[in-house]
Amino acid sequence: MTDRAAVERPAEVPRRPRLRDIAASTGLSIKTVSRAVRGERGVGDETRALVLAEAERLGFQPDDVAAGLRRKNQTTNTVGVTLGDVTNPFFAPMIRGIHGVAAEHQHLVLSADAENDADLERRVIRSLLGHRVAGLIIAPIGQDLRYLEQEASFGTPIVFVDSPPPGLEGQMDAVVTTNTDSTREGVAMLLARGHRRIGYLGHPRSGSGALERWRGYEQALEGAGLTVDPALVRTGLVTEDDATLAARDLLAQPDPPTAVFTDNNRLCVGLLLVERVAQSDLDILSFDDVPLAALFGVSVIDSDPHEVGRVGATLLFERLVDRERPAQRVVVPARLRVRERVRL
């Protein structure tokens, strides 16, 4: 167990900006700056805008728990976690893995839902930082998180899980999985079963995971001497309903696919909700496990989100002890679980 004294921020870490710093750079009084930051009345619009802009430039975060923190740059015994969408069952085992490690180090976990919204993600990250969490674990949604560089310079440990840090590759710790290799292996399994028309249901390709899984799909087809048929591909899907509509369209073609790969578990659930699928011999492969996958005979690529969360939290507490070590990228291999399709 890590000694509490060992995880306190070292003296050489840059001091976090305070209200007096904003006051000094704007020429305003601390009282006016405080009112502007807290949204109180009695501050003109131009003055408020000036204060907030300077606060953003300096990296100021309102200290929501200042009364309990007496020493400069001290943090609470909490870990902040932001998740892309807490309704996705993928994140439940991940957060449990994080909780387990945090409990070993006598820290609580504060989690926030970004709801697949990059702007909301930024706001909830700022809120967690305002609670002076000891560190952040982020399953990113936004495509440019370089705004976290400043927070990292203040000594806040930040670890990315599930996807590497957009715009910050090599600068911060990350835990990722074998997206391309495992997708290629899974689609190759479908090809080995004799399938030549393999449909693809994918989420938006804005993130690295979607791009890497698409690459694995392409590589598997190329390895079998096939090319991608655009008629078999539907991407940009987010919800189960999106996947259901896309799958109905896909399967209604004169020459429909005999197998379908879904690049995440929510899309697989949407596929299984299509009425004709349960009664068909359609071979299904999902990246990440889904409830009742074994019952339907769905093959899955299990990226082990519990282990991803556990490793991510471990990296965070290691960095609390040694803030100078180089950033690490840890790969948790996904495992292909092959099943025979079951007609219900």
Side-chain angles (χ1 to χ4, degrees), residues 79-97:
V79 173
V81 179
T82 65
L83 305 174
D85 182 356
V86 296
T87 66
N88 188 333
F90 168 81
F91 287 117
M94 177 185 290
I95 199 73
R96 175 166 288 183

mmCIF file of all heavy atoms in Angstrom, residues 79-97:
data_model
loop_
_atom_site.group_PDB
_atom_site.id
_atom_site.type_symbol
_atom_site.label_atom_id
_atom_site.label_comp_id
_atom_site.label_asym_id
_atom_site.label_seq_id
_atom_site.Cartn_x
_atom_site.Cartn_y
_atom_site.Cartn_z
ATOM 1 N N VAL A 79 -9.767 9.880 -6.928
ATOM 2 C CA VAL A 79 -9.340 9.730 -8.317
ATOM 3 C C VAL A 79 -10.518 10.100 -9.203
ATOM 4 O O VAL A 79 -11.639 9.622 -8.988
ATOM 5 C CB VAL A 79 -8.899 8.283 -8.609
ATOM 6 C CG1 VAL A 79 -8.614 8.093 -10.100
ATOM 7 C CG2 VAL A 79 -7.670 7.928 -7.784
ATOM 8 N N GLY A 80 -10.293 10.958 -10.190
ATOM 9 C CA GLY A 80 -11.349 11.339 -11.119
ATOM 10 C C GLY A 80 -11.324 10.454 -12.358
ATOM 11 O O GLY A 80 -10.260 10.162 -12.904
ATOM 12 N N VAL A 81 -12.503 10.008 -12.787
ATOM 13 C CA VAL A 81 -12.622 9.155 -13.973
ATOM 14 C C VAL A 81 -13.683 9.730 -14.890
ATOM 15 O O VAL A 81 -14.797 10.025 -14.446
ATOM 16 C CB VAL A 81 -13.001 7.705 -13.591
ATOM 17 C CG1 VAL A 81 -13.144 6.851 -14.846
ATOM 18 C CG2 VAL A 81 -11.976 7.102 -12.648
ATOM 19 N N THR A 82 -13.362 9.914 -16.169
ATOM 20 C CA THR A 82 -14.365 10.320 -17.151
ATOM 21 C C THR A 82 -14.558 9.198 -18.153
ATOM 22 O O THR A 82 -13.590 8.649 -18.680
ATOM 23 C CB THR A 82 -13.969 11.613 -17.892
ATOM 24 O OG1 THR A 82 -12.798 11.378 -18.677
ATOM 25 C CG2 THR A 82 -13.703 12.734 -16.914
ATOM 26 N N LEU A 83 -15.818 8.856 -18.409
ATOM 27 C CA LEU A 83 -16.168 7.776 -19.312
ATOM 28 C C LEU A 83 -16.949 8.328 -20.489
ATOM 29 O O LEU A 83 -17.720 9.275 -20.341
ATOM 30 C CB LEU A 83 -17.004 6.725 -18.581
ATOM 31 C CG LEU A 83 -16.378 6.145 -17.305
ATOM 32 C CD1 LEU A 83 -17.363 5.239 -16.591
ATOM 33 C CD2 LEU A 83 -15.093 5.386 -17.637
ATOM 34 N N GLY A 84 -16.770 7.720 -21.650
ATOM 35 C CA GLY A 84 -17.443 8.217 -22.843
ATOM 36 C C GLY A 84 -18.949 8.136 -22.758
ATOM 37 O O GLY A 84 -19.651 9.042 -23.192
ATOM 38 N N ASP A 85 -19.461 7.053 -22.181
ATOM 39 C CA ASP A 85 -20.917 6.866 -22.088
ATOM 40 C C ASP A 85 -21.174 5.785 -21.042
ATOM 41 O O ASP A 85 -20.967 4.596 -21.303
ATOM 42 C CB ASP A 85 -21.477 6.449 -23.443
ATOM 43 C CG ASP A 85 -22.997 6.275 -23.428
ATOM 44 O OD1 ASP A 85 -23.597 6.397 -22.341
ATOM 45 O OD2 ASP A 85 -23.566 6.020 -24.502
ATOM 46 N N VAL A 86 -21.654 6.164 -19.869
ATOM 47 C CA VAL A 86 -21.798 5.204 -18.779
ATOM 48 C C VAL A 86 -22.904 4.183 -19.048
ATOM 49 O O VAL A 86 -22.982 3.161 -18.359
ATOM 50 C CB VAL A 86 -22.075 5.901 -17.429
ATOM 51 C CG1 VAL A 86 -20.900 6.764 -17.022
ATOM 52 C CG2 VAL A 86 -23.361 6.707 -17.476
ATOM 53 N N THR A 87 -23.757 4.429 -20.041
ATOM 54 C CA THR A 87 -24.787 3.438 -20.358
ATOM 55 C C THR A 87 -24.224 2.263 -21.153
ATOM 56 O O THR A 87 -24.903 1.241 -21.310
ATOM 57 C CB THR A 87 -25.945 4.065 -21.151
ATOM 58 O OG1 THR A 87 -25.473 4.491 -22.433
ATOM 59 C CG2 THR A 87 -26.542 5.242 -20.399
ATOM 60 N N ASN A 88 -23.003 2.394 -21.643
ATOM 61 C CA ASN A 88 -22.368 1.301 -22.383
ATOM 62 C C ASN A 88 -21.867 0.267 -21.380
ATOM 63 O O ASN A 88 -21.038 0.574 -20.520
ATOM 64 C CB ASN A 88 -21.199 1.842 -23.210
ATOM 65 C CG ASN A 88 -20.620 0.791 -24.152
ATOM 66 O OD1 ASN A 88 -20.695 -0.407 -23.897
ATOM 67 N ND2 ASN A 88 -20.013 1.252 -25.225
ATOM 68 N N PRO A 89 -22.335 -0.992 -21.467
ATOM 69 C CA PRO A 89 -21.914 -2.006 -20.498
ATOM 70 C C PRO A 89 -20.426 -2.288 -20.511
ATOM 71 O O PRO A 89 -19.897 -2.887 -19.563
ATOM 72 C CB PRO A 89 -22.721 -3.245 -20.916
ATOM 73 C CG PRO A 89 -23.138 -2.998 -22.334
ATOM 74 C CD PRO A 89 -23.313 -1.514 -22.441
ATOM 75 N N PHE A 90 -19.723 -1.852 -21.538
ATOM 76 C CA PHE A 90 -18.271 -2.021 -21.608
ATOM 77 C C PHE A 90 -17.580 -1.376 -20.417
ATOM 78 O O PHE A 90 -16.563 -1.876 -19.917
ATOM 79 C CB PHE A 90 -17.756 -1.403 -22.916
ATOM 80 C CG PHE A 90 -16.263 -1.254 -22.994
ATOM 81 C CD1 PHE A 90 -15.462 -2.328 -23.336
ATOM 82 C CD2 PHE A 90 -15.656 -0.032 -22.732
ATOM 83 C CE1 PHE A 90 -14.078 -2.195 -23.415
ATOM 84 C CE2 PHE A 90 -14.283 0.114 -22.815
ATOM 85 C CZ PHE A 90 -13.493 -0.967 -23.156
ATOM 86 N N PHE A 91 -18.130 -0.240 -19.937
ATOM 87 C CA PHE A 91 -17.432 0.521 -18.911
ATOM 88 C C PHE A 91 -17.625 -0.014 -17.497
ATOM 89 O O PHE A 91 -16.876 0.350 -16.588
ATOM 90 C CB PHE A 91 -17.860 1.988 -18.959
ATOM 91 C CG PHE A 91 -17.304 2.727 -20.148
ATOM 92 C CD1 PHE A 91 -18.150 3.261 -21.111
ATOM 93 C CD2 PHE A 91 -15.943 2.883 -20.310
ATOM 94 C CE1 PHE A 91 -17.641 3.935 -22.207
ATOM 95 C CE2 PHE A 91 -15.415 3.557 -21.405
ATOM 96 C CZ PHE A 91 -16.273 4.078 -22.355
ATOM 97 N N ALA A 92 -18.627 -0.860 -17.278
ATOM 98 C CA ALA A 92 -18.870 -1.364 -15.922
ATOM 99 C C ALA A 92 -17.689 -2.157 -15.370
ATOM 100 O O ALA A 92 -17.203 -1.872 -14.267
ATOM 101 C CB ALA A 92 -20.150 -2.192 -15.892
ATOM 102 N N PRO A 93 -17.168 -3.156 -16.089
ATOM 103 C CA PRO A 93 -15.992 -3.860 -15.555
ATOM 104 C C PRO A 93 -14.755 -2.978 -15.496
ATOM 105 O O PRO A 93 -13.900 -3.161 -14.620
ATOM 106 C CB PRO A 93 -15.810 -5.035 -16.525
ATOM 107 C CG PRO A 93 -16.542 -4.646 -17.761
ATOM 108 C CD PRO A 93 -17.679 -3.787 -17.328
ATOM 109 N N MET A 94 -14.639 -2.005 -16.406
ATOM 110 C CA MET A 94 -13.490 -1.111 -16.363
ATOM 111 C C MET A 94 -13.476 -0.296 -15.069
ATOM 112 O O MET A 94 -12.454 -0.198 -14.387
ATOM 113 C CB MET A 94 -13.480 -0.163 -17.566
ATOM 114 C CG MET A 94 -12.329 0.845 -17.537
ATOM 115 S SD MET A 94 -12.410 2.039 -18.891
ATOM 116 C CE MET A 94 -12.008 0.984 -20.273
ATOM 117 N N ILE A 95 -14.623 0.282 -14.719
ATOM 118 C CA ILE A 95 -14.682 1.108 -13.515
ATOM 119 C C ILE A 95 -14.478 0.253 -12.280
ATOM 120 O O ILE A 95 -13.897 0.692 -11.276
ATOM 121 C CB ILE A 95 -16.008 1.896 -13.454
ATOM 122 C CG1 ILE A 95 -15.892 3.082 -12.486
ATOM 123 C CG2 ILE A 95 -17.168 1.031 -13.083
ATOM 124 C CD1 ILE A 95 -15.073 4.206 -13.001
ATOM 125 N N ARG A 96 -14.906 -1.006 -12.334
ATOM 126 C CA ARG A 96 -14.665 -1.903 -11.193
ATOM 127 C C ARG A 96 -13.173 -2.171 -11.035
ATOM 128 O O ARG A 96 -12.660 -2.213 -9.912
ATOM 129 C CB ARG A 96 -15.427 -3.213 -11.384
ATOM 130 C CG ARG A 96 -15.139 -4.236 -10.305
ATOM 131 C CD ARG A 96 -16.135 -5.371 -10.311
ATOM 132 N NE ARG A 96 -17.438 -4.944 -9.818
ATOM 133 C CZ ARG A 96 -18.479 -5.752 -9.659
ATOM 134 N NH1 ARG A 96 -18.374 -7.039 -9.973
ATOM 135 N NH2 ARG A 96 -19.622 -5.290 -9.201
ATOM 136 N N GLY A 97 -12.469 -2.341 -12.151
ATOM 137 C CA GLY A 97 -11.020 -2.531 -12.073
ATOM 138 C C GLY A 97 -10.325 -1.327 -11.470
ATOM 139 O O GLY A 97 -9.379 -1.461 -10.682
#
